[in-house]
Amino acid sequence: MKRLSLALLLVPAGTGLVAGCAAPARSLDQIRPGMSRQEVQSMIGQPQTIAHSPGKECAYYTLLKDFWSRVPWSVSDRYYVCYDDGRVEAFGKVDGPSPD
């Protein structure tokens, strides 16, 4: 058991063990308008929350910052991906400009 604990301590942050919690923010760079919901989810995983309105849906994700942008109190950012009839219409950082 001690060996397993030591092995887990030696695993660098940002590898598979941490990636299960949130996808890296660089994954958002691959998203393009017109992509389907399934294409987006295959890149960055399931959203944390989804907001619905007639004909639209916005999915919210928590994505890890790159290593050099992290500080102990902030290792991730929230992003949105909004769909219109199942296709990406707008996406970006939640704290950034809002979708039109």
Side-chain angles (χ1 to χ4, degrees):
M1 186 64 175
K2 288 182 182 180
R3 288 183 185 175
L4 177 61
S5 299
L6 181 59
L8 290 175
L9 289 174
L10 296 176
V11 174
T15 58
L17 291 175
V18 176
C21 301
R26 69 179 175 271
S27 300
L28 198 70
D29 295 338
Q30 300 171 8
I31 296 175
R32 300 286 176 250
M35 293 178 79
S36 71
R37 186 179 298 107
Q38 291 78 16
E39 289 173 312
V40 172
Q41 288 181 358
S42 70
M43 281 189 260
I44 59 178
Q46 295 290 324
Q48 282 189 317
T49 58
I50 299 174
H52 297 276
S53 64
K56 290 195 175 196
E57 171 184 289
C58 288
Y60 294 88
Y61 297 87
T62 298
L63 303 177
L64 293 174
K65 293 180 179 181
D66 70 0
F67 179 79
W68 299 110
S69 299
R70 295 180 194 175
V71 290
W73 55 89
S74 177
V75 297
S76 62
D77 285 321
R78 283 188 45 89
Y79 292 87
Y80 66 88
V81 179
C82 291
Y83 303 94
D84 187 12
D85 292 323
R87 298 287 177 178
V88 174
E89 177 185 52
F91 58 95
K93 192 173 179 182
V94 170
D95 300 331
S98 63
D100 295 325

